[in-house]
Amino acid sequence: MRHDRNRSTPVLGGGCRVRHAVFPVAGFGAKFLPATKACPKEMLPIVDKPLIQYAVEEAAAAGLTHMIFVTGRSKRAIEDHFDHAYELEHELTARDDADALYALRSAIPHGVTFSYVRQPDAAGLTDALRRARSLVAGEPFAVVLPDQLIDAPRSALAQLLDVFGEQQVSVVGAEPAGTTNDASCLISADLRTSDVRAARALVKVPPIGAASAPVTAAGRFIFTPAIWDALGAARTGSHAQPLIPAIRALMEREHVFACLIEGRRFDCGTKLGYLEAQFAYAQKRGDLWTSLQQRLADLVQHDSDRDLPAAAALGGIANESHMPTRGS
């Protein structure tokens, strides 16, 4: 362990490796009712893969090997998804359906293990993290919010781990904020203390002479064990982003960095963001996109006389050969 200057809490030293990823998945998904009455929101598909699988694949691509799910009583489907389906595998093998068999088996990344802990009441995100504390065993860990889907050339968590590997302190995956008046904003500053281009220090007050800008959390975090005391000290109330008060409390205990994620975030916790992600990920599929464009064009033509504004909007989507890359 080493002590960072001007801080009373020691930070991790010796190149501590992050192994654990925590996925809080106990929420009701009320914005998507009635679809989420019997199906977890995290199991809603983007094209042909559920949101939770994208999140696990991102963590596995970053080198994390222990996936921890904080679940609720209606989330058994998530556990089943990451279990072996021997009967289905046998049936697909008998049919000699190699493509479907590959898709089925690829749902479970190689070399990872899964743990599940129950959150009995809808007590929020900070309570969900406390439920996972015994499973991370005093080590640093990642937190992934699965409804925040990030399309990035390199795993978003891997980008955060670049900063953590250098600084050995907590890291918040971030994107530029539109306004400084939002209570969910954090202040980032380039203090020239990192060799990682995307790294910014989080500060309470912008330092004189340093470039600073407001940022918002993008649903990806790396936390040191200092977060547990910060969670106890933070007052979350009805905060739109419950981890922000805890991060501010953490900043009183250790330096905290932001990593400006290179990639596009889709807020699949909203219907609009979810639909936007469908089009963006369909565009990646050569077997789908050309035909989908044509069908959208046909739909526009069919509806053009009944609803001109909607037809114009659909026409813009149908005619795009590339989706925009700006973050949502």
Side-chain angles (χ1 to χ4, degrees):
M1 304 281 284
R2 66 179 175 83
H3 286 272
D4 211 351
R5 66 179 182 273
N6 299 324
R7 300 286 173 175
S8 59
T9 302
V11 297
L12 300 171
C16 187
R17 178 171 173 260
V18 180
R19 300 186 300 119
H20 312 283
V22 177
F23 303 88
V25 294
F28 292 130
K31 291 181 180 179
F32 285 85
L33 287 170
T36 50
K37 179 181 178 181
C39 174
K41 178 182 68 175
E42 298 79 12
M43 289 298 296
L44 295 177
I46 299 298
V47 186
D48 55 5
K49 190 186 298 184
L51 281 166
I52 190 62
Q53 187 173 333
Y54 286 102
V56 167
E57 288 177 352
E58 178 187 323
L64 280 65
T65 56
H66 185 199
M67 312 299 169
I68 301 169
F69 300 90
V70 184
T71 71
R73 64 178 58 88
S74 62
K75 301 301 180 94
R76 180 61 184 270
I78 294 174
E79 186 173 348
D80 290 341
H81 182 74
F82 292 108
D83 198 359
H84 291 284
Y86 295 107
E87 296 85 355
L88 183 53
E89 288 188 20
H90 177 77
E91 182 66 25
L92 293 174
T93 301
R95 295 180 184 180
D96 197 26
D97 193 340
D99 291 341
L101 190 60
Y102 174 80
L104 176 65
R105 290 173 173 169
S106 66
I108 306 175
H110 179 71
V112 305
T113 59
F114 300 92
S115 296
Y116 302 86
V117 60
R118 178 68 65 87
Q119 185 181 21
D121 301 308
L125 181 55
T126 56
D127 178 76
L129 294 190
R130 292 188 188 97
R131 303 283 172 180
R133 182 171 185 174
S134 63
L135 293 172
V136 302
E139 299 179 24
F141 62 98
V143 175
V144 181
L145 305 187
D147 62 2
Q148 302 302 300
L149 179 60
I150 299 179
D151 182 18
R154 181 166 172 254
S155 163
L157 273 182
Q159 297 177 47
L160 269 67
L161 287 170
D162 288 343
V163 181
F164 177 83
E166 178 191 64
Q167 299 293 329
Q168 295 289 299
V169 297
S170 295
V171 184
V172 177
E175 60 188 18
T179 175
T180 58
N181 296 324
D182 190 336
S184 296
C185 285
L186 297 165
I187 301 174
S188 69
D190 186 0
L191 302 182
R192 311 274 182 178
T193 55
S194 174
D195 291 329
V196 180
R197 183 174 59 86
R200 301 289 187 274
L202 290 179
V203 296
K204 291 190 291 184
V205 179
I208 297 175
S212 62
V215 294
T216 57
R220 302 294 185 272
F221 310 87
I222 305 290
F223 288 127
T224 68
I227 189 61
W228 303 120
D229 288 339
L231 285 173
R235 295 181 178 180
T236 57
S238 58
H239 203 285
Q241 292 202 37
L243 286 181
I244 296 300
I247 290 167
R248 292 193 174 113
L250 183 61
M251 290 165 61
E252 301 290 340
R253 291 162 168 77
E254 67 175 22
H255 290 304
V256 180
F257 270 70
C259 173
L260 298 177
I261 295 175
E262 180 185 359
R264 179 172 186 176
R265 179 176 63 87
F266 299 95
D267 183 1
C268 294
T270 67
K271 293 174 184 176
L272 183 59
Y274 179 76
L275 292 173
E276 186 182 13
Q278 295 283 8
F279 283 111
Y281 277 74
Q283 191 233 355
K284 295 169 172 285
R285 296 279 294 269
D287 59 327
L288 294 176
W289 185 240
T290 300
S291 297
L292 180 58
Q293 283 182 299
Q294 181 58 54
R295 294 193 182 195
L296 286 172
D298 292 343
L299 181 62
V300 170
Q301 181 64 34
H302 181 268
D303 289 346
S304 59
D305 292 335
R306 293 188 300 168
D307 191 346
L308 291 175
L314 278 171
I317 294 173
N319 293 327
E320 284 182 359
S321 59
H322 299 283
M323 300 298 291
T325 57
R326 181 175 51 86
S328 64

